[in-house]
Amino acid sequence: MAEPSLPLDKDPRFKSELEEFDDNRPPYCLTFPEVKLLGIAGVGFFLDAYDLFIINPVATMLQYRLYGGHSLPTNLEGFLKAGANIGSVIGQFGFGYAADSLGRKAVYGKELMLIILATILSISTPTGTLSPNNCLIYLAMFRILLGIGVGGDYPMSASVTSDRSNLRKRGTMLAYIFSNQGWGSFVGSLATIIVLAIYKGAIEGRHEISKVDGVWRILVGLSLIPAFGTLYQRLTLPESNRYKASKTLKQLPDSQDDVDELKKDDGEPTAEVVEVEETVKHKAHFREFLTYFSEWRHAKILIGTCACWFLLDIAFYGINLNQNVVLQQIGFAGTTGSEWNRLFKIGVGNLIITALGFVPGYWATVLTIEILGRKWIQIQGFLIAALLLAVIAGKFHDLSKPAFIVCFALLQFFFNFGANTTTYCYPAEVFPTRFRASAHGMSAAAGKSGAIISALVFNTLSKNIGTPNVLWIFFGCCIAGAVFTLLLPEVKGRDPDVIFAAEIEEKRIAAGARK
């Protein structure tokens, strides 16, 4: 019989390349290799936020360029704003499965190439040739392609980071990566103000309103700088030791074909642990995935990560993809003054929202995630966000401007010091390496499905039942999200690969007892 393997937490094959640099400093104090990994993986989330949220000021600029300042057609506006999220669902499923089946190295960087291609095609929109409606359709189609790349970055960067992180710093590293969304939104708002300031003489001084065409193209094109700057690093990143070692773990076979595929020891198949010399492509990966999640103890966790992310994104994206409603309340909707003044006010309003809530919320999570744990942060984030939504919905027409700003800033803070961050961290930490990217992609795709629903129906619902009632729907989503979080275990200090190996050993012992 083969010699028993070491426990996975002691097995040197599962040691991260970064572990040797661990100097027992606080989790948020990073070493140089960790900072380098943060730069490689974090740029994807910087671009994610930048590209997804820049569409708000871009859509306003297209009103002046294509429709003489009038509102975009409701359906096309929804399609334009939902386009990147529609693509994200495809990218999250596809890249997540490919990362587990083919390996991280074989896939990582390809999603960034898609983002670069889609960005170049987006800024090529022929606004002077096509009709206004066709221009929006043209741009929306390439934003779907952009979304495939952005969506693919979710499971890719999450699995690459989790594979390489020390256990005691894993949550902090993931939170650092995800916090780049806050900086992406902040830089997007700041870039809008700066580029508009550059064009002030043409737009306001000479009344050349068509120059907004150049403004939005520059804003979209600026995202190419960090994308090109990181591409080479992603394409050349080596495979992690943890992923290689995960290929040595095999669940019990469920057919004779599985048995024949395994190595044998003295003529007998060793079905539980298969020793391999290098990473191989398993044709049976999908079957193994189904076998693993056919057990309720695993399925309920996947249901929990998918449901929480879905419910969170209905509320989070419902508000952030339609910030014009919020900007109206705080006096930065850009409804008065010259065209340039209107656009500039929207940019300043978005900057205020981002600075007050986005960035501080992400960093609160970075500093406390290894202390408070993911489950506590997620539940309190959902519940406090629900409370704030109830206040805004109940007093929507009565709140003073300062009170509204405070409530909305706190809402953004507890979205990000809460479920918006932890729903990303959870699937990267709770599932074993063998299925991590696939499960993360499914969870993220569930979230983007919620974002798509919000983008497509928010405007229509607001007109039909009123914005306060839509906010009450978001309130219900947050309460439900807190309930579904109860399906999830706390993952602080939890190594899913060790648990997976123990489960395989249990099955081996049970199978031996039945013989």
Side-chain angles (χ1 to χ4, degrees):
M1 295 291 291
E3 291 294 322
S5 60
L6 291 168
L8 268 67
D9 57 345
K10 303 297 182 184
D11 193 331
R13 296 172 304 158
F14 279 85
K15 287 189 177 295
S16 164
E17 291 95 328
L18 296 174
E19 283 189 339
E20 61 185 284
F21 296 99
D22 190 8
D23 55 6
N24 295 317
R25 291 186 297 176
Y28 51 81
C29 295
L30 304 183
T31 62
F32 176 75
E34 289 167 337
V35 172
K36 183 179 178 180
L37 178 62
L38 175 62
I40 295 171
V43 72
F45 284 93
F46 177 91
L47 293 174
D48 172 34
Y50 185 94
D51 286 326
L52 290 180
F53 290 104
I54 201 69
I55 196 61
N56 286 308
V58 167
T60 305
M61 292 173 196
L62 289 173
Q63 291 180 16
Y64 292 106
R65 177 65 182 89
L66 300 174
Y67 294 92
H70 299 292
S71 299
L72 302 180
T74 302
N75 293 338
L76 288 178
E77 182 181 11
F79 181 44
L80 180 66
K81 291 182 177 180
N85 286 319
I86 292 170
S88 290
V89 173
I90 301 170
Q92 285 155 347
F93 273 117
F95 278 92
Y97 180 81
D100 282 341
S101 181
L102 305 177
R104 280 52 156 158
K105 179 175 173 55
V107 182
Y108 203 37
K110 309 303 187 295
E111 75 295 329
L112 197 54
M113 294 171 69
L114 271 181
I115 291 174
I116 291 171
L117 175 62
T119 300
I120 293 172
L121 292 172
S122 294
I123 60 180
S124 71
T125 303
T127 51
T129 304
L130 297 178
S131 68
N133 286 1
N134 285 338
C135 283
L136 293 184
I137 294 172
Y138 181 101
L139 181 57
M141 293 302 294
F142 287 122
R143 283 190 61 80
I144 291 176
L145 182 63
L146 174 74
I148 294 175
V150 168
D153 193 73
Y154 276 69
M156 290 307 308
S157 290
S159 55
V160 163
T161 302
S162 188
D163 290 351
R164 286 170 164 75
S165 297
N166 293 297
L167 189 61
R168 74 178 189 88
K169 301 177 77 171
R170 184 183 60 200
T172 301
M173 285 294 293
L174 289 165
Y176 263 123
I177 298 295
F178 197 71
S179 70
N180 280 278
Q181 278 200 338
W183 291 116
S185 299
F186 182 84
V187 171
S189 300
L190 187 62
T192 302
I193 293 173
I194 292 173
V195 177
L196 278 171
I198 294 172
Y199 273 81
K200 182 177 182 180
I203 297 174
E204 186 171 39
R206 297 191 298 272
H207 301 288
E208 297 174 357
I209 308 303
S210 62
K211 293 296 184 180
V212 297
D213 210 34
V215 176
W216 78 260
R217 292 178 200 273
I218 291 173
L219 290 175
V220 173
L222 283 174
S223 64
L224 292 172
I225 297 173
F228 275 117
T230 315
L231 181 59
Y232 176 78
Q233 295 291 335
R234 288 198 176 195
L235 293 174
T236 57
L237 190 71
E239 194 67 85
S240 69
N241 288 341
R242 183 173 284 269
Y243 177 78
K244 293 176 184 176
S246 75
K247 308 296 280 189
T248 71
L249 294 177
K250 183 83 172 178
Q251 300 177 90
L252 287 172
D254 55 8
S255 71
Q256 188 59 42
D257 289 338
D258 288 339
V259 175
D260 293 339
E261 289 178 1
L262 305 182
K263 288 189 173 183
K264 299 185 178 183
D265 183 23
D266 298 328
E268 294 297 325
T270 58
E272 304 76 34
V273 180
V274 186
E275 295 297 331
V276 293
E277 298 299 327
E278 60 184 16
T279 302
V280 295
K281 298 175 184 177
H282 284 297
K283 294 181 180 179
H285 173 70
F286 184 66
R287 184 168 53 198
E288 289 175 346
F289 182 89
L290 292 179
T291 299
Y292 179 79
F293 286 105
S294 65
E295 298 182 40
W296 171 244
R297 59 180 170 175
H298 303 143
K300 73 175 182 179
I301 295 176
L302 185 60
I303 292 170
T305 58
C306 289
C308 289
W309 210 334
F310 172 78
L311 293 164
L312 178 276
D313 275 11
I314 288 178
F316 182 75
Y317 280 91
I319 289 174
N320 288 296
L321 284 177
N322 297 277
Q323 286 189 1
N324 59 310
V325 176
V326 179
L327 295 174
Q328 288 173 3
Q329 293 296 312
I330 65 175
F332 285 93
T335 55
T336 59
S338 67
E339 291 84 354
W340 184 88
N341 273 312
R342 295 176 187 179
L343 292 170
F344 193 80
K345 269 194 172 184
I346 292 173
V348 172
N350 284 326
L351 186 66
I352 292 171
I353 291 170
T354 304
L356 289 178
F358 269 57
V359 175
Y362 286 121
W363 281 87
T365 305
V366 167
L367 296 175
T368 63
I369 191 168
E370 301 294 358
I371 300 171
L372 301 176
R374 292 59 160 166
K375 191 168 186 174
W376 190 91
I377 290 176
Q378 183 157 307
I379 289 177
Q380 64 87 26
F382 268 130
L383 292 179
I384 296 178
L387 174 63
L388 291 165
L389 283 166
V391 171
I392 296 173
K395 297 290 185 178
F396 189 77
H397 298 293
D398 301 324
L399 283 174
S400 64
K401 184 183 297 185
F404 189 93
I405 293 174
V406 169
C407 285
F408 189 80
L410 286 173
L411 175 63
Q412 293 289 12
F413 178 86
F414 283 103
F415 268 143
N416 297 306
F417 178 44
N420 190 42
T421 303
T422 54
T423 50
Y424 169 77
C425 295
Y426 247 119
E429 298 191 83
V430 75
F431 299 112
T433 303
R434 186 74 185 88
F435 311 109
R436 177 175 294 141
S438 299
H440 195 284
M442 291 182 65
S443 303
K448 288 304 180 191
S449 298
I452 292 168
I453 290 172
S454 280
L456 293 178
V457 306
F458 181 92
N459 288 333
T460 302
L461 271 181
S462 294
K463 292 173 182 176
N464 291 339
I465 64 175
T467 300
N469 288 327
V470 176
L471 295 177
W472 280 116
I473 294 174
F474 295 162
F475 164 84
C477 288
C478 289
I479 295 295
V483 173
F484 273 101
T485 303
L486 299 176
L487 292 175
L488 303 174
E490 177 53 64
V491 293
K492 182 176 69 172
R494 183 181 190 270
D495 191 330
D497 288 320
V498 173
I499 295 171
F500 185 40
E503 291 173 353
I504 292 174
E505 181 67 12
E506 289 174 4
K507 293 179 180 179
R508 184 190 68 79
I509 295 172
R514 289 195 297 268
K515 291 181 180 178

